[in-house]
Amino acid sequence: MPTSTSSKKRRRDAELENAIIEVAWAELLKRGYAGLTMESVAAAASTSRPVLARRWNGKATLAVAAVTHQLAMKPIDVPDRGNVRTELLDYLGQVSDLAPIINMIFSMLSDTSFRESYPSAPELRHTFIAGRADSLKLILHRAVKRDEINAEKLIPAVESLLSDLIAHYILINGKAPPKALRVTWVDALLLPLVLSS
């Protein structure tokens, strides 16, 4: 059956939107949120400002779309390896690969003009994590089922310890933590708190 004209148009529209979002991400990395403009994205994408305006009502929503797209392309997926330490290090490695994206999110949230345009932090958080599993919680609870970890020791502060540590490191340093530090977090901080005796 031949493809309808409307289907072709939708495909072209989706391709254009993805191309613009990719350009917006490149512009964010190059200029930062403060230096991002709809005009600079339109020029870099070889399109026009009105084309962008039909899809996004300003640079805040375009930047959020660009970040969301990057996150969607890099899901955190830690398979069951039968060993909690291996899985935790895998998790931290995958989060480290997201450091440029996480750093951009922190940068956007610290920008006054962004907060004025996109004032709802809970809504923003929901946008960024929608459809993403809590991989750290999954790893820890999988380890409980294997009797590697004592469930009674998994209080909320302990359960989120690694994600809090890596987020704080990226916020302060603007880059991913080195592998040796990630190993220390797992071996010297988290595991002694939760391992079954």
Side-chain angles (χ1 to χ4, degrees), residues 11-26:
R11 187 166 62 247
R12 284 197 304 271
D13 286 348
E15 289 170 358
L16 174 61
E17 185 166 310
N18 282 336
I20 292 170
I21 287 173
E22 289 284 358
V23 167
W25 175 248

Side-chain angles (χ1 to χ4, degrees), residues 68-175:
T68 303
H69 181 68
Q70 290 297 311
L71 287 170
M73 291 194 304
K74 298 179 176 78
I76 296 176
D77 181 22
V78 180
D80 188 340
R81 302 185 187 282
N83 179 276
V84 67
R85 180 180 184 273
T86 302
E87 293 172 16
L88 290 171
L89 291 173
D90 187 357
Y91 166 79
L92 288 174
Q94 292 188 40
V95 175
S96 292
D97 291 340
L98 299 178
I101 304 172
I102 296 169
N103 197 43
M104 185 59 66
I105 293 171
F106 285 140
S107 176
M108 288 161 57
L109 289 171
S110 68
D111 187 281
T112 303
S113 67
F114 177 82
R115 292 198 307 273
E116 289 172 350
S117 302
Y118 211 105
S120 173
E123 181 184 339
L124 183 65
R125 183 176 185 277
H126 175 75
T127 299
F128 286 152
I129 68 172
R132 293 177 73 88
D134 187 336
S135 298
L136 180 57
K137 182 180 285 189
L138 175 64
I139 291 166
L140 293 172
H141 287 264
R142 204 157 56 197
V144 168
K145 290 180 180 178
R146 293 194 300 254
D147 292 323
E148 289 180 277
I149 282 180
N150 184 337
E152 294 180 359
K153 296 178 180 179
L154 277 183
I155 61 174
V158 171
E159 193 171 66
S160 67
L161 179 62
L162 289 183
S163 58
D164 293 342
L165 284 170
I166 196 165
H168 183 265
Y169 186 96
I170 293 170
L171 172 62
I172 298 301
N173 297 281
K175 61 183 180 181

Side-chain angles (χ1 to χ4, degrees), residues 20-34:
I20 292 170
I21 287 173
E22 289 284 358
V23 167
W25 175 248
E27 289 289 295
L28 274 170
L29 290 177
K30 179 181 176 182
R31 304 171 186 271
Y33 181 78

